[in-house]
Amino acid sequence: MELNEYLYFLRRAFDGMISALEELGDELANTAPPPAGANSPFAVAYHCTGVADYWIGHIIAGRSVDRDRASEFTAVGTVTDLKSTVDPLFDRLRDDLREVDAQAAPRNVPPASFEGPDRPLSCAGVQLHVLEELAQHHGQVQITRDVLLNGNVR
């Protein structure tokens, strides 16, 4: 897997989420749509920073990552906050992946309590899992944006 091409697709997902948050503005970006228990678009996008940092930084590269997955879903902030998180994240991801052998086993195994593939993965498999997560959450943020902009809020 070519590094720059892979990071391009991750960045497209983040840029799409950020664009949707910009359309919403900070207040709506932090509003959860119906039904009860749904997450705000900001929280979903913020969760994606945790996904990428943890799965690539910790699982693949072995870097220490202090992650509180549950709190990602209740995170609040501004689009500016998210942008200031994403840019340095990409610097770390590039460093984490620079020398990775795609077919090698990752340095760490995720805890069973984290949702993810139910089988051992190569580094390439972990990268695909991150892309899968970001792509699906990008779509979720876009749909949530549409719901919120059409006045379908609690």
Side-chain angles (χ1 to χ4, degrees), residues 65-89:
V65 173
D66 184 24
R67 183 179 187 202
D68 180 356
R69 185 178 183 278
S71 72
E72 294 167 9
F73 295 103
T74 58
V76 295
T78 66
V79 177
T80 301
D81 293 339
L82 188 65
K83 285 180 181 178
S84 69
T85 299
V86 169
D87 289 337
L89 170 63

Side-chain angles (χ1 to χ4, degrees), residues 5-21 41 44-46 48-49 51-52 82 86 89-90 93 129-142 145:
E5 191 169 41
Y6 177 71
L7 291 175
Y8 166 80
F9 283 102
L10 293 189
R11 191 66 200 223
R12 273 181 40 153
F14 273 113
D15 287 348
M17 287 184 268
I18 289 168
S19 176
L21 295 178
V44 172
Y46 183 78
C48 288
T49 65
V51 166
L82 188 65
V86 169
L89 170 63
F90 270 80
L93 297 179
H129 174 61
V130 172
L131 181 58
E132 168 192 45
E133 288 290 313
L134 268 57
Q136 74 179 348
H137 287 314
H138 177 199
Q140 179 184 3
V141 167
Q142 290 176 319
R145 173 206 55 206

Side-chain angles (χ1 to χ4, degrees), residues 1-134:
M1 191 172 314
E2 202 279 319
L3 177 59
N4 289 327
E5 191 169 41
Y6 177 71
L7 291 175
Y8 166 80
F9 283 102
L10 293 189
R11 191 66 200 223
R12 273 181 40 153
F14 273 113
D15 287 348
M17 287 184 268
I18 289 168
S19 176
L21 295 178
E22 288 173 331
E23 288 179 59
L24 288 167
D26 291 334
E27 183 178 339
L28 278 179
N30 287 286
T31 301
N39 305 111
S40 75
F42 180 88
V44 172
Y46 183 78
H47 164 67
C48 288
T49 65
V51 166
D53 198 34
Y54 179 80
W55 285 86
I56 293 173
H58 180 68
I59 300 300
I60 289 178
R63 180 168 44 82
S64 178
V65 173
D66 184 24
R67 183 179 187 202
D68 180 356
R69 185 178 183 278
S71 72
E72 294 167 9
F73 295 103
T74 58
V76 295
T78 66
V79 177
T80 301
D81 293 339
L82 188 65
K83 285 180 181 178
S84 69
T85 299
V86 169
D87 289 337
L89 170 63
F90 270 80
D91 291 337
R92 289 191 308 272
L93 297 179
R94 182 175 307 285
D95 290 343
D96 292 336
L97 293 170
R98 195 174 312 272
E99 301 297 324
V100 167
D101 173 359
Q103 299 312 310
R107 292 190 178 165
N108 289 306
V109 175
S113 62
F114 276 26
E115 294 179 23
D118 60 357
R119 54 178 274 186
L121 297 175
S122 65
C123 289
V126 174
Q127 286 180 259
L128 290 171
H129 174 61
V130 172
L131 181 58
E132 168 192 45
E133 288 290 313
L134 268 57

